[in-house]
Amino acid sequence: MADSKISVEQVRHVARLARLELSAADEIALQANLSEILQYIDQLNRLDTSAVAPTAQVGETGTPMREDVIANRPDPEAMLANAPARAGNLFKVPRIIE
Amino acid sequence: MTSELNRMTIAEARDGLARREFSALELTRACLEQIKLVDPKINAFITVCAREALAQAAAADRRLAAGDAPALCGIPLAIKDIYATRGVRTTCASKMLENFVPPFDATVIARLREAGAVFIGKANMDEFAMGSSTENSAFGVTRNPHNVERVPGGSSGGSAAAVAADECLGALGTDTGGSIRLPAAFCGVAGIKPTYSRVSRYGVIAYASSLDQVGPFAKTVRDAAILLRTLAGHDPRDSTCSARPVPDYEAALTGDVRGMRIGVPKEYFVAGMEPQVETAIRAALASYERLGAKLVDISLPHTEYAIAAYYIVATAEASANLARYDGIRYGLRVDADNTGDLYNRTRAAGFGTEVKRRIMLGTFVLSAGYYDAYYLKGQKVRTLIRGDFDRAFARCDVIATPVAPTTAFKIGEKMADPLQMYLSDIFTISVNLAGLPGLSIPCGFDRDGLPIGLQLIGAPFAEETILRAGDAFERTGAVKRRAAIL
């Protein structure tokens, strides 16, 4: 690859943002993959989009409103059934405050 | 007789059950027998729900006996493992959710339950619906029932393979960039991605929320129409879901396409397409002319930019959607003595290679300094792609294209080259960016017996038009459904 679109330092930075622990091999593979994909994406720069509005949604416009009422029955057992660790009716996590 | 029940269409089984020629229990047993026989060869299922399916079938028989049979009473379906099913493990083909048992049903699952359907099992897929071949699954590759050395397409490859192999009568998939239409084409079955917002996504594990849509696979277009009628409709639990009334899609199948204007975009017939695919598509277009439809040359000039725009928009949304997998409330947890390491290690261990790649790409295009150059640019190109279709539909009622430039490729062929894999979706991906309905139907076989798919694209909410067109072609008998050889 002639010029990498993304450096290993950038890969590490993005991995921190994405909360992903990467091995050294992962970093090198991702640098190559992402560079190739970003190079491909660069073809979009052939298009002049200075006067084009972005599209975020293609559905029918508007956000529907509803009354602020509880529509589901709170069921702590169901909510906690998939918890990796629990203490009583709480999700257990590592200590955050010393 | 009983051993052949699993080969029936939904319409045939519905009539046979109504006439009490066989029971729902016999039908479900026939599907379970077929799974036992062929699934070791194709691996279409992550979880087979024999006990639950037999109980549902017995309940369906009681309703049939009482003369109170709803639309899909006793019909065995495969469900892509992306749908939350109450009490049944839902993995999204990821180690992250290997042991996740949802406490609730997705809206479409609840609708199918009400309609009396039987859930035969949870179908394999690319992890988090990211892939075009069903090779990115933590539960093994799914193989194409027409040739087990080939991929079934993805990401809903298990669903398509299960229908093609007669392990069920129909199936649910999802389609974000072609994930229903490509496997339908590769496996020789019908599959429809409805208009964005036509079907509720509540309880469907999210990949890219401005693109994801729910849809059925079936052995015939009629069956797809029957399933879509139950799936579609308003749901207050999905704020994007349309309140438009749901038509009787089956009633739209008149067989009459006289005067229908079928647009043929020149950008879809370019170098790189297998000649046998082009021949089959051209033959299908000629059939439509004989049926009285009119072919119209059209242009979708921004087609070549669709993949690039998609891999910005979809991965950006995915990076946000998949932030929820943090090892705290459900799913995998890799323990650590602080939450930061817990998140990082859990996500490193839980996600597969392709999912990590897309999270990384999506995080990058949204990151400070790159947002305008990539994310905003992608959204603007999306506007141009939509505009192409708006202009085209002023001149035609349906757009006909190949689903893919090739037939099913070999297992392993594209795994080392992610960009080549992404390019498999070159003909399907614009439809998601524009939010349109797209139907994939079999229109022939290549010399190796691999199915070729025709894509029929409609204007927003024109599902009836593309289903009518698909059904009319099917009725010509030009393509016989070919049972997979297993």
Side-chain angles (χ1 to χ4, degrees):
Chain A
M1 202 168 303
D3 65 318
S4 270
K5 296 284 298 178
I6 181 168
S7 67
V8 172
E9 290 67 40
Q10 278 178 299
V11 169
R12 287 187 192 133
H13 171 66
V14 173
R16 269 193 300 277
L17 296 176
R19 289 292 189 191
L20 278 173
E21 189 175 87
L22 298 180
S23 69
D26 289 342
E27 288 174 358
I28 288 166
L30 278 165
Q31 186 199 6
N33 291 159
L34 296 181
S35 289
E36 193 193 1
I37 296 163
L38 291 169
Q39 224 147 41
Y40 177 82
I41 285 174
D42 273 352
Q43 67 175 297
L44 297 184
N45 295 327
R46 294 208 299 264
L47 293 169
D48 176 8
T49 52
S50 51
V52 180
T55 295
Q57 269 292 345
V58 291
E60 294 171 324
T61 49
T63 303
M65 305 293 279
R66 65 165 176 84
E67 291 304 313
D68 185 16
V69 291
I70 295 171
N72 57 336
R73 191 174 51 85
D75 180 351
E77 269 318 305
M79 299 298 119
L80 285 154
N82 285 288
R86 64 184 281 188
N89 265 2
L90 303 168
F91 295 100
K92 203 171 166 186
V93 298
R95 180 181 294 275
I96 296 169
I97 304 162
E98 292 300 329
Chain B
M1 171 68 196
T2 309
S3 64
E4 294 295 301
L5 292 176
N6 57 301
R7 301 199 183 277
M8 286 189 158
T9 66
I10 293 172
E12 288 165 355
R14 180 180 62 184
D15 295 348
L17 285 166
R19 287 196 297 267
R20 308 302 285 142
E21 289 168 11
F22 50 85
S23 68
L25 213 48
E26 286 170 312
L27 179 59
T28 291
R29 281 203 187 108
C31 291
L32 290 170
E33 276 305 308
Q34 178 75 348
I35 290 172
K36 212 179 274 172
L37 204 65
V38 305
D39 215 57
K41 296 176 193 159
I42 60 170
N43 192 37
F45 288 94
I46 292 176
T47 307
V48 177
C49 308
R51 193 171 42 84
E52 295 89 340
L54 291 169
Q56 286 175 311
D61 277 329
R62 287 193 292 276
R63 295 183 76 168
L64 283 156
D68 158 41
L72 298 170
C73 197
I75 303 296
L77 303 177
I79 307 296
K80 187 178 185 179
D81 208 16
I82 197 168
Y83 291 91
T85 42
R86 181 196 288 265
V88 173
R89 179 173 82 133
T90 299
T91 68
C92 225
S94 182
K95 269 193 254 174
M96 189 63 90
L97 295 175
E98 191 169 2
N99 300 307
F100 175 62
V101 179
F104 71 108
D105 275 333
T107 292
V108 290
I109 295 298
R111 280 178 197 262
L112 289 171
R113 268 193 218 284
E114 240 167 77
V118 171
F119 303 138
I120 204 95
K122 303 295 295 285
N124 200 10
M125 54 184 283
D126 284 298
E127 183 181 5
F128 286 103
M130 297 180 187
S132 308
S133 65
T134 315
E135 291 169 287
N136 299 325
S137 167
F139 299 88
V141 173
T142 292
R143 292 168 178 273
N144 191 315
H146 291 276
N147 179 338
V148 294
E149 302 304 317
R150 303 273 172 163
V151 302
S155 67
S156 312
S159 300
V163 174
D166 291 311
E167 295 177 308
C168 55
L169 273 60
L172 274 196
T174 58
D175 190 317
T176 305
S179 284
I180 288 174
R181 289 159 290 153
L182 186 70
F186 281 6
C187 293
V189 299
I192 182 168
K193 179 203 98 71
T195 307
Y196 184 80
S197 82
R198 179 69 285 186
V199 183
S200 165
R201 287 101 45 88
Y202 176 75
V204 185
I205 295 172
Y207 161 23
S209 302
S210 80
L211 302 161
D212 294 342
Q213 188 53 219
V214 165
F217 289 95
K219 295 172 191 180
T220 64
V221 173
R222 176 170 300 274
D223 284 5
I226 292 170
L227 290 171
L228 184 57
R229 193 178 185 193
T230 294
L231 300 174
H234 184 238
D235 177 14
R237 286 173 159 152
D238 175 355
S239 68
T240 62
C241 192
S242 173
R244 288 178 187 235
V246 178
D248 180 350
Y249 296 112
E250 201 181 354
L253 310 181
T254 59
D256 185 1
V257 293
R258 282 173 301 173
M260 189 182 274
R261 297 167 304 164
I262 299 182
V264 183
K266 61 171 189 271
E267 291 82 2
Y268 284 63
F269 294 87
V270 288
M273 182 160 19
E274 279 177 4
Q276 295 183 78
V277 171
E278 174 153 8
T279 304
I281 300 296
R282 297 279 182 204
L285 293 174
S287 297
Y288 278 115
E289 275 189 304
R290 285 195 294 277
L291 291 171
K294 230 170 60 194
L295 301 186
V296 185
D297 287 323
I298 59 162
S299 173
L300 299 167
H302 296 96
T303 299
E304 63 178 304
Y305 301 103
I307 298 236
Y310 174 90
Y311 277 94
I312 294 173
V313 171
T315 60
E317 293 180 15
S319 74
N321 273 330
L322 272 65
R324 72 190 67 178
Y325 303 103
D326 57 7
I328 301 296
R329 290 148 302 158
Y330 56 89
L332 181 77
R333 172 184 291 192
V334 177
D335 276 312
D337 54 14
N338 64 78
T339 46
D341 285 346
L342 185 152
Y343 302 149
N344 295 344
R345 288 175 197 167
T346 295
R347 293 164 62 79
F351 293 137
T353 305
E354 182 60 28
V355 174
K356 284 179 191 163
R357 190 148 50 217
R358 294 197 195 189
I359 290 174
M360 288 289 289
L361 183 59
T363 305
F364 175 76
V365 299
L366 289 174
S367 66
Y370 297 95
Y371 182 94
D372 284 359
Y374 290 103
Y375 185 60
L376 200 59
K377 185 79 184 184
Q379 287 189 316
K380 287 179 170 187
V381 175
R382 187 173 185 183
T383 305
L384 296 175
I385 288 165
R386 250 185 119 181
D388 285 356
F389 282 106
D390 286 347
R391 277 184 294 280
F393 280 117
R395 302 186 50 227
C396 63
D397 307 301
V398 172
I399 295 173
T401 77
V403 177
T406 69
T407 50
F409 46 88
K410 290 200 175 83
I411 288 171
E413 189 179 321
K414 299 188 181 184
M415 282 304 271
D417 189 344
L419 192 55
Q420 281 308 310
M421 185 71 89
Y422 297 172
L423 292 173
S424 321
D425 292 320
I426 189 150
F427 295 152
T428 52
I429 229 158
S430 332
V431 173
N432 299 79
L433 290 167
L436 305 172
L439 172 67
S440 174
I441 59 168
C443 72
F445 293 86
D446 72 6
R447 277 190 294 273
D448 301 322
L450 296 170
I452 297 167
L454 172 73
Q455 176 173 233
L456 300 167
I457 305 166
F461 297 99
E463 281 83 2
E464 288 168 284
T465 312
I466 57 174
L467 288 165
R468 181 186 306 134
D471 171 67
F473 177 77
E474 213 170 67
R475 287 182 193 212
T476 66
V479 180
K480 295 266 177 298
R481 197 176 115 70
R482 206 179 282 184
I485 306 150
L486 282 164

